[in-house]
Amino acid sequence: MQKKNRILSGVQPSGDLHLGNYLGAIKNFVTLQKKYECFFCVVDLHAITVWQDPTQLAKKTREVTAAFIASGVDPKDNVLFAQSQVPQHSQLAWIFNCIARMGWLSRMTQFKDKAGKDKENVSVGLFSYPTLMAADILIYLATHVPVGEDQKQHLELTRDIAQKFNNDFGTNLFPIAEPLIMGEATRVMSLRDGTKKMSKSDPSDYSRIMLSDDADGIVQKIRKAKTDPLPLPLGIDEAQTRPEALNLLTIFAALNDSTTIKVINDYAGKEFSSFKKDLADLTVEKITPISLEMKKLMEDRVYLDNIMKNGKEKAIAVAEPVLSQVYEIVGLAKT
Ligand code: ATP
Ligand code: MG
């Protein structure tokens, strides 16, 4: 079957992959690969916008690649590679730095969250991150981008950049990419604080379930997950006022390919202890096979490096002609 639309999505090798990355991104890749031509990228250049230990970064990059494959992404049928292997991303990002406006980037909530009170001391890269993300997508002329809720604003910026570039230069080169926000768990929250997103960069290990956690670790973290003293909510309206409860119910639904409403109904008025036990069993059942497969793949470095080398070649074959066109449109010296 000819796949008409193209997807680009990326995951940072900035720490240990967690349930939010799986449910908000990687699990959806597995569904999307059947219908779309997919480029899945380990975005190591994004990772270094905050400090990364050089002895760990390359390993984490292989680990994200292993997670894609262990979760069911077919490495032969899709393009898997690391962002830094394809220099065209950075080359296009520079041009987009000259298209995007300061005001646009100043409104990005991820920058505000990540910079916190230390705005003067964070890297310039952390601020301009969204122009590199726009380049990641548009260098492949991707039409669709599966992301979690947290990346929606960056994708809107990508659309603005594409639109401005097309207008400024009187071209229709860049597609206006659509976000694909899929599944029940589009924003998995921290297990310690139901108002904060689950993140690789959260300092507390107990805030997230990692794809590398073993069964005991998963059971422990779910048992300790923050809740309130009430029994489980009776309906969605009540659940929406209780973020920790809603988060666990949503995770259950997403892992079970069910809906949050159905899970709320099944557990309405029950005690957290029994629900947490069922949630822990379900999480172990779904995550342990991925975790074991990841470990196995990580032992075969040659295999993973080969996949990324192949991906790099396929990615460059698409990216280079797009970059040449951009250079010509902008009037830059030929590459
Ligand atoms: P960091 O804290 O370093 O930014 P992260 O946990 O946010 O890491 P990313 O690599 O930035 O992970 O994101 C990879 C993908 O996972 C993106 O598509 C993002 O939208 C999705 N994602 C990240 N966190 C969550 C979450 N808590 N719930 C749902 N999707 C998420
Ligand atoms: Mg992130």
Side-chain angles (χ1 to χ4, degrees), residues 291-307:
S291 169
L292 293 176
E293 186 60 22
M294 269 174 77
K295 281 206 184 85
K296 218 169 86 193
L297 289 166
M298 281 303 282
E299 279 160 24
D300 197 345
R301 186 171 165 169
V302 176
Y303 171 76
L304 289 175
D305 286 347
N306 262 329
I307 294 213

Side-chain angles (χ1 to χ4, degrees), residues 186-233:
T186 57
R187 188 171 173 84
V188 177
M189 308 310 274
S190 156
L191 300 182
R192 305 268 72 199
D193 177 351
T195 62
K196 243 174 76 188
K197 171 182 108 65
M198 188 179 280
S199 272
K200 283 189 227 97
S201 46
D202 192 302
S204 162
D205 263 6
Y206 273 88
S207 70
R208 61 189 162 251
I209 289 168
M210 301 185 302
L211 295 188
S212 55
D213 280 336
D214 61 16
D216 284 350
I218 292 174
V219 172
Q220 280 248 11
K221 285 181 184 176
I222 292 182
R223 200 185 306 134
K224 290 201 168 150
K226 186 180 168 202
T227 48
D228 52 39
L230 303 171
L232 281 147

Side-chain angles (χ1 to χ4, degrees), residues 237-264:
D237 290 344
E238 186 189 340
Q240 268 157 357
T241 64
R242 297 170 56 192
E244 281 86 13
L246 181 62
N247 188 36
L248 296 181
L249 289 158
T250 308
I251 292 174
F252 191 105
L255 282 171
N256 216 17
D257 292 313
S258 177
T259 64
T260 308
I261 303 274
K262 179 161 188 319
V263 181
I264 290 176

Side-chain angles (χ1 to χ4, degrees), residues 21-32 71 182 253-257 286:
N21 300 134
Y22 178 64
L23 295 175
I26 304 171
K27 183 173 189 275
N28 302 324
F29 298 172
V30 181
T31 318
L32 291 165
S71 303
M182 302 165 61
L255 282 171
N256 216 17
D257 292 313
K286 300 287 178 179

